Amino acid sequence: MDLEFNRNEDVLKQLCFQLESKLKRIGLGGGEKKIEEQHQKGKLTARERIAYLTDKDTAFIEVGTLAGDGMYEEVGGCPGGGVVTGLGYVSGRLCAIAANDATVKAGAWFPITAKKNLRIQEIAMENRIPIIYLVDSAGVFLPMQDEIFPDKEHFGRQFRNNAKMSSMGIVQIAAIMGSCVAGGAYLPIMSDEAMIVDKTGSIFLAGSYLVKAAIGEDIDNESLGGATTHCEISGVTDNKFPNDQACLDYIRSILSKLGHETKAGFDRIAPALPKENPAEIYGLIPSDRTKPYDTMDIIRRMVDNSEFDEYKALYGKTLICGYARIDGWSVGIVANQRKVVKTKKGEMQMGGVIYSDSADKAARFIMNCNQRKIPIVFLQDVSGFMVGSKAEQGGIIKDGAKMVNAVANSTVPKFTVIIGNSYGAGNYAMCGKAYDPRLILAWPTAQIAVMSGASAAKTLLQIRVSALKTKGQKISKEEEASLLKEITDRYNEQLSPYYAAARLWVDQVIDPLDTREYISAGITAANHAKVKKFNVGVIQT
């Protein structure tokens, strides 16, 4: 057992090291040369601005760091999606923050940039917390304008969100700290207060070159849309500042004077660390994902005092449900049990599979959490729902639908952590991205797909071979093996948590030991928004 524990520990620690290395690389944005160019202009970088703005000795919970990873390579890539987003404290107030990274293509908007900005706006809207925009962008990346401009979830959606947040009473503050052009100019001006940095900040619908081409007027960018023009003549911006630091200091002053909203009222007591060592998680997750493990061992190393009150412990054993605290916050936990379990009838049930009794239990537990106003944490390592004649005759579809219904209609905040597998309809039932978790996180061991790589590759191979035979082509065993490898490699790449994070299917890939911090930050944010009443009638019994 010790040998296997050590092997597991080595593998997961190596995966976490790879994650840390990737995050450090992305943290450099467009590279050290581009960072130095920012400094020579008297500007801070996006991450330096956030570090200066946020309260000292508090953590900035970054969201979407891996957005765009491995994408747009044909045009030089887009590290971090060209924008830094997350949750941070400013003058003691938890805020959502979005800062354009001008070291990446001058802060131009790629399709993933729009998606990432919409995600941080969504977080601000769901949790009713202030949002701060630190604007420094050259506008839409024109070679890809058709993928970012016209559709419902594209560039223009952010301005719609500006208007919606205003109607909801959510404070929006914008600082123009570099370029702000074309349609992007509406974002800061639709905010409640807009400030601008003198000489480096500029805002206009069309720059000097376009103005010359369009109407023949000769004018420089500073006269056209600089700080003096907009603070003293047009009145578009509210105040100008001599440098980034002075502008950020003013934002801190604004936040220090905001009134306070009524809290949701989620229960919190003094936080306590787990009694069982969280670092042992590294050795408890099998390096071979087909091997079973006891998910309770993970839960006890994640919750306060390692205390967990299990719900229906002797029923529906392939799902663990129960109450605990994370960093002092009261939570309900729904987790896939990965070990093989024995039912009262003497039957053996496979770990990671959702059976009818488990789905029924989880649906009832989710209803209880809503009734008691307790946020829910989903720990995913799921292969899917049980299949076969016995499961079908037992009503697996009905019970699975009941669980999905409960997840979809749940009104308390939901948080999802993908520990291992996230396959098929199991992804949905365990609160995948489509079911609006306030945060969805993945460990480096996560895999997200319709089915496992091995199963999918064999299915795809059968389809490909059948298509070749239809055309009268024969395929040798060697060619079939080569084709299987090609299909498997391509599918496995898509299973990676980094593939998911690059496309914002998950908000962040994290070290397992950071899970408590992220969930606590998420509940802290969620506590700013009142909870709607849960309609029990939507769950059919």
Side-chain angles (χ1 to χ4, degrees):
M1 178 62 185
D2 288 341
L3 183 62
E4 184 175 354
F5 183 96
N6 291 338
R7 186 186 302 114
N8 294 340
E9 185 178 44
D10 289 343
V11 169
L12 185 44
K13 282 188 173 181
Q14 182 60 33
L15 289 174
C16 289
F17 175 76
Q18 292 169 7
L19 169 62
E20 185 180 355
S21 299
K22 189 181 282 283
L23 293 176
K24 283 182 178 178
R25 174 179 58 78
I26 292 171
L28 292 174
E32 293 180 354
K33 184 178 178 181
K34 292 291 185 181
I35 291 173
E36 182 55 34
E37 288 176 6
Q38 286 285 100
H39 291 163
Q40 288 174 1
K41 294 175 183 177
K43 298 164 65 176
L44 301 175
T45 65
R47 283 189 166 78
E48 288 169 344
R49 287 166 177 163
I50 291 172
Y52 186 93
L53 175 66
T54 52
D55 297 348
K56 303 300 177 279
D57 301 321
T58 63
F60 177 64
I61 302 297
E62 194 164 342
V63 172
T65 311
L66 292 149
D69 184 49
M71 299 168 66
Y72 316 118
E73 296 297 335
E74 68 280 4
V75 292
C78 185
V83 62
V84 183
T85 61
L87 299 171
Y89 283 92
V90 180
S91 296
R93 300 295 295 261
L94 185 63
C95 301
I97 302 172
N100 297 112
D101 187 349
T103 71
V104 179
K105 295 289 191 296
W109 286 65
F110 284 69
I112 198 66
T113 316
K115 189 172 184 179
K116 186 171 176 179
N117 272 272
L118 291 175
R119 176 59 179 144
I120 197 65
Q121 285 186 321
E122 180 181 44
I123 288 172
M125 293 168 79
E126 285 180 330
N127 298 300
R128 301 185 71 92
I129 57 175
I131 184 166
I132 300 167
Y133 307 102
L134 306 180
V135 183
D136 193 346
S137 172
V140 168
F141 185 65
L142 287 177
M144 305 185 79
Q145 66 85 26
D146 62 319
E147 298 178 50
I148 184 176
F149 174 68
D151 210 345
K152 181 178 179 181
E153 299 297 333
H154 283 179
F155 187 69
R157 185 77 170 183
Q158 66 179 328
F159 313 131
R160 173 264 191 193
N161 287 350
N162 284 145
K164 288 288 185 181
M165 280 190 274
S166 289
S167 70
M168 294 168 67
I170 296 171
V171 173
Q172 300 176 81
I173 298 169
I176 301 156
M177 313 185 84
S179 297
C180 183
V181 301
Y186 289 105
L187 184 141
I189 308 310
M190 291 185 73
S191 298
D192 301 304
E193 191 157 352
M195 53 219 68
I196 187 168
V197 178
D198 197 19
K199 305 304 185 221
T200 55
S202 60
I203 178 169
F204 33 65
L205 294 180
S208 56
Y209 292 121
L210 185 54
V211 167
K212 174 68 174 176
I215 64 174
E217 180 182 3
D218 279 312
I219 189 169
D220 62 272
N221 281 338
E222 183 63 26
S223 301
L224 182 67
T228 298
T229 296
H230 286 310
C231 285
E232 299 181 24
I233 301 173
S234 72
V236 167
T237 51
D238 301 311
N239 287 294
K240 69 176 180 179
F241 299 89
N243 53 46
D244 284 5
Q245 290 87 341
C247 185
L248 296 168
D249 285 339
Y250 186 71
I251 295 175
R252 291 183 54 80
S253 179
I254 293 173
L255 267 296
S256 71
K257 298 175 179 66
L258 291 186
H260 291 270
E261 300 289 339
T262 304
K263 302 290 186 182
F266 303 127
D267 187 64
R268 192 182 197 187
I269 61 173
L273 294 173
K275 286 183 178 178
E276 299 195 34
N277 185 5
E280 291 176 352
I281 289 174
Y282 292 132
L284 292 169
I285 299 293
S287 54
D288 179 354
R289 65 192 316 108
T290 64
K291 288 188 175 181
Y293 63 91
D294 190 346
T295 305
M296 281 301 307
D297 290 336
I298 306 300
I299 293 173
R300 282 192 289 265
R301 286 161 178 81
M302 191 180 294
V303 301
D304 291 14
N305 288 318
S306 300
E307 294 174 351
F308 183 72
D309 299 327
E310 192 167 359
Y311 172 79
K312 287 184 177 285
L314 302 178
Y315 179 76
K317 294 181 179 180
T318 65
L319 277 177
I320 297 171
C321 299
Y323 305 99
R325 291 188 182 272
I326 292 179
D327 199 36
W329 290 108
S330 172
V331 297
I333 293 176
V334 179
N336 300 110
Q337 174 58 283
R338 283 291 302 177
K339 72 176 184 180
V340 177
V341 298
K342 190 174 183 180
T343 69
K344 196 170 183 178
K345 297 178 181 178
E347 300 168 335
M348 303 304 291
Q349 293 185 340
M350 295 183 291
V353 177
I354 301 175
Y355 289 75
S356 282
D357 54 356
S358 301
D360 177 69
K361 176 174 82 170
R364 292 173 182 273
F365 177 74
I366 290 166
M367 291 166 63
N368 286 351
C369 288
N370 276 270
Q371 186 183 47
R372 301 172 192 183
K373 204 156 71 172
I374 298 175
I376 305 172
V377 176
F378 293 83
L379 303 178
Q380 283 197 17
D381 193 346
V382 58
S383 303
F385 285 91
M386 189 57 190
V387 296
S389 60
K390 186 174 182 180
E392 298 292 358
Q393 292 167 13
I396 186 65
I397 295 176
K398 174 175 64 70
D399 290 319
K402 189 189 301 181
M403 181 178 175
V404 170
N405 203 329
V407 173
N409 284 287
S410 177
T411 58
V412 294
K414 304 179 295 257
F415 302 89
T416 302
V417 183
I418 304 173
I419 292 175
N421 301 332
S422 182
Y423 297 154
N427 170 282
Y428 303 155
M430 291 295 292
C431 197
K433 178 71 171 178
Y435 290 80
D436 300 322
R438 296 293 178 96
L439 288 175
I440 179 167
L441 311 165
W443 289 0
T445 46
Q447 288 191 348
I448 305 166
V450 171
M451 61 182 75
S452 71
S455 299
K458 290 174 183 176
T459 303
L460 291 167
L461 177 66
Q462 291 172 2
I463 294 170
R464 187 83 69 87
V465 170
S466 177
L468 290 171
K469 287 180 178 178
T470 301
K471 295 177 181 178
Q473 299 177 24
K474 292 183 179 181
I475 182 169
S476 68
K477 290 293 182 184
E478 293 77 13
E479 289 172 328
E480 191 171 311
S482 176
L483 190 56
L484 178 61
K485 183 180 184 306
E486 176 192 330
I487 293 171
T488 301
D489 289 346
R490 185 169 66 252
Y491 194 86
N492 283 340
E493 179 186 349
Q494 296 176 1
L495 284 172
S496 164
Y498 298 116
Y499 189 91
R503 290 152 183 81
L504 290 173
W505 301 343
V506 297
D507 291 315
Q508 198 78 333
V509 181
I510 62 170
D511 186 308
L513 300 192
D514 292 334
T515 306
R516 281 171 53 87
E517 181 180 34
Y518 267 82
I519 291 174
S520 178
I523 300 175
T524 301
N527 199 37
H528 288 77
K530 292 181 180 179
V531 177
K532 295 179 181 178
K533 186 177 180 181
F534 179 71
N535 182 7
V536 179
V538 300
I539 309 299
Q540 296 178 352
T541 57

